[in-house]
Amino acid sequence: MVFNQGFLVKNDRFSLTDEKIYYLFGWLVPGTDLTAELGGKPVPAEVIQLTDNVDERYGGCETKVIFRFEETLPPGKRLKVWSDGETGKKLCFTIRTAGLEEKRRGVRYYIDEYTVNRKDGFFRVQGWAAAREPVCVEVFGKDGKKLTDRVERYKRYDTVELFDEYPVDPDNGFNIELRPVPEGPVRVRLRTSEDTVVLTYPTDEAHVQVRKAGHLLGKARDAFLYNGMSALAAKTWNKLFNPAMRTVNYADWIGKHLPSERMLQAQRREPPVPAPLISIVVPCYRTPDKYLRELADSVKKQSYANWELILSDGSGPDSPISGLLDELEASDARIRTVRHGERLRIAENTNAAIREAKGEWIMFCDHDDLLVPSALYETAKAAAVHPEAELIYTDEDKIGTGDKLMQPNLKPDYDPDFLCSVNYICHLTSVRRELLERTGLLDPAFDGAQDYDFILRCTEQTDGIVHIPKILYHWRFFEGSTAANPESKLYAFEAGKRAIEAHYRRKNWPATVENGEFPGIYRTIWHWEEEPLVSVLIPNKDHIADLRKCLDSLDRCSDYPNIEIIIIENNSTEEETFAGYRELTDRDPRIRVITYEGGFNYSAINNFGVREAKGDYLLLLNNDTEFISDAVREMLGFCMRPDVGAVGARLYYGDDTIQHAGAIIGWGGVAGHAFVNQKRGVSGYQHRIICQQDYSAVTAACMMVRASVFREAGGFTEELAVAFNDIDLCMKIREKGYLIVYNPYAELYHYESKSRGLENTPEKKSRFGKELKYFEKKWPDILRDGDPYYNPNLSMITQDFSLKRS
């Protein structure tokens, strides 16, 4: 972005409550004045600076500009906005009156993406739509057939914050994806009771390219008007003629994220300081010449020069790769080989290479895979930036037939519970020699999962675990490989299960491990001897039928014996509710009803309930939930672990789509639930829907918290009466050093906010805005730096863990 016009507009809109008021939002350089004219006549502009902070990307402060127009605008005219600052007077925004009238419509919308990708076979439209009531988003094919089941809705808090004068529906985001690409145009209808907008998207190549070219030329025109010829070149020429910009798929994405030759040359000139020797250890076993040669070539092409490659041949006395090893050893003094007179299994073969290694860092690599040219440089750089690091791992992908790169594995930062569900760390892993000496070599008892066992043992010996969120390793994917045929190494998955159980034994945690839904996925079952009291806390206002349904499902699905149930009554008005309370307490002595007499404040209500609770563990529960599994026992198993502070569940909407599978900080501007609207039964990216793992936060619609941790963290923040209080609580718990666990085997329906109602009043909207600002001010670091349990290369717009679109 070339910023030299003084005021950079990011969006514009009319007010939802007054059609005469028009807003511009953007970044204004300090000391810059704004003037405007409509059809050549001056127009008053009220400039409101929203923050004092200067955004370094744009050199300006967030600013809102307010215009007040008549009900009817003069046809054929333009609104022009000028900035006047140190760089002189410049045109910074312009729009025709016809465009202004269009923006006055009842439905406001913005399209973030429109893609027709015939190569990968999909059509996608993504954006948001907002109005004074929830907007219905519908999609129709060529024959007029409605395809509403293809519409995914999700929360967009950035849009909620944009409409600060009216409480728009938070679920205003939408994503439409059709596979295969439909023949004929696709129509998207945005509908309310007062307005309907129909958007038509062609799918034939000619119309797509014409539309795309028109859109880009329009942006080029604006860039030329506002920023001059350099912006025209940057914003139009590259996008029109750079093939990498035409479609969004992994081949294009990885092409932009692999290091350029210029970058590699710079890395060769300036290696990290210190620049340790990295020993790459490779166990070889009858490796095809092509693959072993390509591996060696990928090492020799590294931009970091201080390495040695140790090739240990466990093929036996009749080794078919002996001649190739001689050739490779002669090709570079940094390549050394270890020969054996007998066949070795993988752990022993790898250990033989480790014993010959001289490096400060030991890097593990398979005999038929490839390193990205910057892999060693990035590892050495991470070691220099993080001197405490003792284990470093990277992202990876697969390389298939025709050297096609696919299936990117974009990982979270260190997640001990995810690691006990699947060996997500895998490639590329490097360990400091001191850690290896404390941990010991690979254990042949776990052959097939020897790396899994080794990584688990390493994590027990160090806190210095660093993740490099870059694809630095290509895992070979070919017919017969483990990557292509996981069932071919079932013994390895049994070894993986034993490795996790051994890890738990070393930590003195009573657990057994079962195979999950897919090979290489594991489930932990806890076997604590104690059965502590669990206090189930349920705020309630009327809706007695929902409450009764929730409690009946708890009785039906849970056999955990030691619970108390506290219903926190808050301003119910229906006699049926109080009769229901009497019926519930009469039939079940575990149930108590306590009364919170203040207005609705979710945080204060639950804090009040906790003060009345006797349990060592608290199950915070919404009254509009229904148990599917024994969630009490499932969640308690993790919550009793000393390093865990809170546990969340897998929640479904009533239509059997995901409502919650963990929460990511930063989605929609603040936070959002993972995999929203994914169908029940799917496993999601990296199988994360079905894996026990850690997150930065989980929803309090069903959250178990250790009572002592709840109090240590200070309970719920009562300034957050409705929004973000559960996210804030989780952040405070993590700040105290505890983990937040998501357990997918604790399953419930959540029928979503029946007892509170919609954010449909100015008072509620004002409150929401204050809570949003409170959260942003309290937790700026994670909002700025990103959620450690979410890879920075993944989208911050959609909640399906798709690639970030750049």
Side-chain angles (χ1 to χ4, degrees):
M1 174 66 68
V2 179
F3 183 83
N4 61 12
Q5 74 265 35
F7 182 50
L8 179 63
V9 177
K10 64 176 178 178
N11 54 57
D12 66 311
R13 66 176 181 84
F14 274 90
S15 168
L16 281 173
T17 56
D18 187 340
E19 293 186 351
K20 294 182 181 180
I21 297 179
Y22 175 68
Y23 300 109
L24 293 180
F25 296 87
W27 293 274
L28 181 67
V29 172
T32 301
D33 295 324
L34 292 180
T35 57
E37 60 180 45
L38 180 62
K41 297 180 180 179
V43 177
E46 180 183 356
V47 180
I48 301 175
Q49 186 173 304
L50 300 177
T51 67
D52 294 327
N53 298 324
V54 175
D55 192 314
E56 294 181 356
R57 296 170 298 173
Y58 310 114
C61 303
E62 284 194 79
T63 301
K64 174 169 66 175
V65 183
I66 305 175
F67 300 94
R68 291 172 173 83
F69 297 133
E70 297 299 322
E71 291 184 359
T72 303
L73 294 169
K77 305 297 183 180
R78 278 186 177 273
L79 171 69
K80 295 183 179 181
V81 182
W82 304 82
S83 66
D84 193 355
E86 291 184 0
T87 58
K89 188 173 182 179
K90 297 180 182 294
L91 178 66
C92 57
F93 182 78
T94 181
I95 185 173
R96 294 183 182 276
T97 51
L100 288 170
E101 292 290 4
E102 179 65 21
K103 289 178 179 290
R104 270 181 165 168
R105 299 193 63 159
V107 175
R108 317 293 205 258
Y109 67 92
Y110 186 80
I111 303 302
D112 295 301
E113 180 190 355
Y114 157 47
T115 297
V116 179
N117 187 330
R118 292 196 173 274
K119 179 180 178 182
D120 292 337
F122 69 86
F123 165 93
R124 182 187 292 126
V125 172
Q126 185 181 96
W128 58 260
R132 290 172 63 92
E133 61 183 276
V135 179
C136 177
V137 180
E138 301 164 309
V139 58
F140 300 87
K142 177 183 178 182
D143 56 0
K145 181 180 178 182
K146 185 184 283 190
L147 305 171
T148 304
D149 63 323
R150 307 295 182 87
V151 180
E152 174 191 353
R153 302 303 299 269
Y154 58 94
K155 295 186 187 300
R156 287 287 296 266
Y157 290 118
D158 56 335
T159 309
V160 171
E161 188 174 8
L162 175 66
F163 290 91
D164 56 355
E165 78 281 5
Y166 192 85
V168 300
D169 179 19
D171 293 303
N172 60 74
F174 63 86
N175 182 67
I176 299 167
E177 189 164 308
L178 306 178
R179 293 176 182 268
V181 177
E183 297 301 325
V186 174
R187 289 186 300 121
V188 177
R189 185 166 70 186
L190 312 176
R191 177 170 56 84
T192 67
S193 62
E194 298 181 350
D195 190 24
T196 299
V197 175
V198 177
L199 310 172
T200 301
Y201 295 96
T203 60
D204 61 286
E205 190 66 23
H207 281 91
V208 169
Q209 292 302 324
V210 168
R211 184 165 179 161
K212 184 177 294 185
H215 173 71
L216 293 175
L217 286 171
K219 294 185 75 173
R221 177 205 63 210
D222 292 343
F224 177 72
L225 285 173
Y226 305 152
N227 288 336
M229 186 58 68
S230 61
L232 175 62
K235 285 182 168 289
T236 305
W237 182 268
N238 286 341
K239 288 193 175 183
L240 278 175
F241 301 107
N242 182 354
M245 299 298 292
R246 293 177 186 165
T247 59
V248 179
N249 57 49
Y250 183 60
D252 293 336
W253 185 91
I254 190 62
K256 290 184 287 185
H257 286 78
L258 290 175
S260 66
E261 185 55 39
R262 177 179 295 182
M263 184 183 300
L264 295 173
Q265 290 292 350
Q267 292 172 2
R268 293 184 183 103
R269 288 194 302 271
E270 297 184 16
V273 177
L277 175 64
I278 298 176
S279 298
I280 309 161
V281 296
V282 181
C284 304
Y285 184 84
R286 299 179 176 270
T287 316
D289 280 12
K290 169 182 167 60
Y291 297 146
L292 186 55
R293 194 183 303 276
E294 288 180 354
L295 166 63
D297 287 344
S298 76
V299 174
K300 288 191 281 188
K301 291 177 182 176
Q302 291 296 305
S303 59
Y304 182 83
N306 196 17
W307 55 263
E308 62 174 1
L309 174 61
I310 315 294
L311 302 172
S312 179
D313 183 13
S315 304
D318 57 343
S319 171
I321 63 172
S322 181
L324 176 58
L325 292 176
D326 291 339
E327 177 187 333
L328 294 175
E329 197 167 26
S331 70
D332 194 306
R334 295 170 294 181
I335 298 178
R336 293 189 286 126
T337 64
V338 184
R339 317 296 177 97
H340 307 283
E342 59 181 342
R343 294 188 180 187
L344 297 181
R345 295 179 68 85
I346 188 168
E348 295 173 316
N349 202 12
T350 307
N351 288 340
I354 292 173
R355 293 188 184 99
E356 294 296 319
K358 300 176 182 177
E360 180 181 339
W361 283 86
I362 311 299
M363 177 179 284
F364 295 86
C365 184
D366 286 350
H367 62 163
D368 50 8
D369 297 338
L370 299 176
L371 300 181
V372 171
S374 58
L376 272 66
Y377 173 87
E378 295 289 353
T379 300
K381 178 182 175 183
V385 172
H386 303 279
E388 79 284 1
E390 292 192 296
L391 188 153
I392 297 174
Y393 68 96
T394 79
D395 295 344
E396 61 187 291
D397 63 8
K398 294 187 175 70
I399 182 168
T401 304
D403 290 338
K404 179 181 178 181
L405 298 177
M406 55 190 177
Q407 299 182 17
N409 187 0
L410 302 170
K411 308 168 186 178
D413 289 351
Y414 176 53
D415 182 337
D417 286 294
F418 193 31
L419 182 60
C420 289
S421 293
V422 61
N423 182 11
Y424 82 93
I425 288 181
C426 202
H427 307 298
L428 178 67
T429 299
S430 305
V431 298
R432 195 182 289 273
R433 178 172 292 278
E434 290 84 351
L435 174 60
L436 186 144
E437 291 172 351
R438 295 199 305 272
T439 301
L441 297 175
L442 276 61
D443 189 342
F446 297 96
D447 260 332
Q450 71 291 328
D451 53 345
Y452 202 172
D453 168 71
F454 178 73
I455 289 171
L456 288 168
R457 287 189 284 125
C458 283
T459 64
E460 298 163 20
Q461 297 291 330
T462 185
D463 293 324
I465 302 173
V466 173
H467 167 222
I468 303 173
K470 295 182 179 182
I471 299 281
L472 298 179
Y473 191 92
H474 304 311
W475 186 7
R476 182 77 62 179
F477 185 96
F478 60 92
E479 185 175 358
S481 72
T482 304
N485 299 282
E487 293 82 1
S488 66
K489 286 184 65 176
L490 292 179
Y491 78 93
F493 302 123
E494 287 300 313
K497 183 171 70 171
R498 291 189 289 107
I500 302 169
E501 289 181 334
H503 169 66
Y504 288 145
R505 285 195 299 273
R506 290 189 294 271
K507 297 179 80 68
N508 293 317
W509 291 348
T512 55
V513 178
E514 296 180 354
N515 290 320
E517 296 179 35
F518 298 94
I521 303 294
Y522 303 98
R523 174 185 181 181
T524 296
I525 309 292
W526 298 97
H527 305 285
W528 303 99
E529 292 183 1
E530 304 86 352
E531 290 186 333
L533 178 64
V534 175
S535 298
V536 183
L537 302 169
I538 310 176
N540 189 71
K541 178 182 179 181
D542 295 317
H543 294 282
I544 192 65
D546 295 324
L547 177 62
R548 191 179 285 115
K549 184 177 184 179
C550 173
L551 294 175
D552 288 346
S553 70
L554 174 59
D555 285 341
R556 184 175 64 251
C557 295
S558 177
D559 63 355
Y560 187 77
N562 197 14
I563 66 172
E564 66 169 355
I565 300 169
I566 301 175
I567 299 169
I568 312 169
E569 154 60 27
N570 179 226
N571 295 320
S572 294
T573 59
E574 300 172 5
E575 177 54 37
E576 180 186 2
T577 300
F578 297 97
Y581 290 159
R582 290 190 290 271
E583 175 194 336
L584 290 170
T585 54
D586 287 345
R587 83 177 189 190
D588 191 338
R590 301 175 302 172
I591 297 177
R592 286 189 288 145
V593 179
I594 62 176
T595 302
Y596 177 81
E597 296 181 348
F600 181 83
N601 181 317
Y602 180 87
S603 297
I605 291 169
N606 277 283
N607 286 344
F608 173 75
V610 170
R611 288 194 290 271
E612 297 292 322
K614 301 174 183 176
D616 295 317
Y617 295 85
L618 312 170
L619 178 57
L620 308 171
L621 192 64
N622 278 23
N623 61 354
D624 53 355
T625 55
E626 180 182 2
F627 285 77
I628 300 172
S629 70
D630 188 354
V632 176
R633 195 177 295 276
E634 282 288 348
M635 299 171 80
L636 185 61
F638 277 98
C639 213
M640 289 180 68
R641 233 173 56 194
D643 60 337
V644 173
V647 182
R650 176 165 33 165
L651 306 180
Y652 304 101
Y653 291 114
D655 62 357
D656 282 318
T657 58
I658 296 289
Q659 191 267 343
H660 170 269
I664 299 295
I665 310 300
W667 272 339
V670 177
H673 293 178
F675 302 108
V676 170
N677 289 327
Q678 297 288 307
K679 291 182 179 180
R680 185 176 179 179
V682 303
S683 63
Y685 183 66
Q686 297 174 325
H687 300 304
R688 287 185 68 165
I689 292 176
I690 62 172
C691 283
Q692 296 162 325
Q693 65 199 278
D694 302 321
Y695 272 103
S696 287
V698 293
T699 179
C702 180
M703 178 198 293
M704 185 173 286
V705 189
R706 202 178 334 150
S708 61
V709 172
F710 183 91
R711 296 184 178 98
E712 182 183 352
F716 283 107
T717 299
E718 296 189 7
E719 289 89 340
L720 299 173
V722 177
F724 316 121
N725 36 51
D726 48 1
I727 306 297
D728 175 76
L729 175 63
C730 289
M731 296 291 290
K732 293 194 293 182
I733 290 172
R734 289 186 60 235
E735 193 174 45
K736 295 295 183 180
Y738 299 100
L739 297 172
I740 308 294
V741 177
Y742 160 70
N743 186 353
Y745 299 102
E747 297 180 272
L748 300 89
Y749 286 111
H750 180 208
Y751 300 109
E752 187 79 62
S753 301
K754 290 182 179 178
S755 59
R756 181 166 60 88
L758 298 174
E759 302 292 320
N760 55 3
T761 68
E763 293 79 12
K764 288 183 178 180
K765 180 60 182 178
S766 174
R767 184 265 311 146
F768 180 88
K770 291 177 181 177
E771 293 176 358
L772 183 66
K773 294 296 184 184
Y774 178 95
F775 188 92
E776 291 174 338
K777 184 177 180 180
K778 187 172 182 181
W779 305 109
D781 292 349
I782 192 170
L783 291 171
R784 180 192 65 237
D785 301 335
D787 192 318
Y789 296 106
Y790 188 69
N791 193 288
N793 296 300
L794 298 173
S795 172
M796 293 304 294
I797 298 175
T798 64
Q799 292 163 272
D800 59 357
F801 289 64
S802 58
L803 285 171
K804 180 182 288 184
R805 292 163 179 82
S806 55

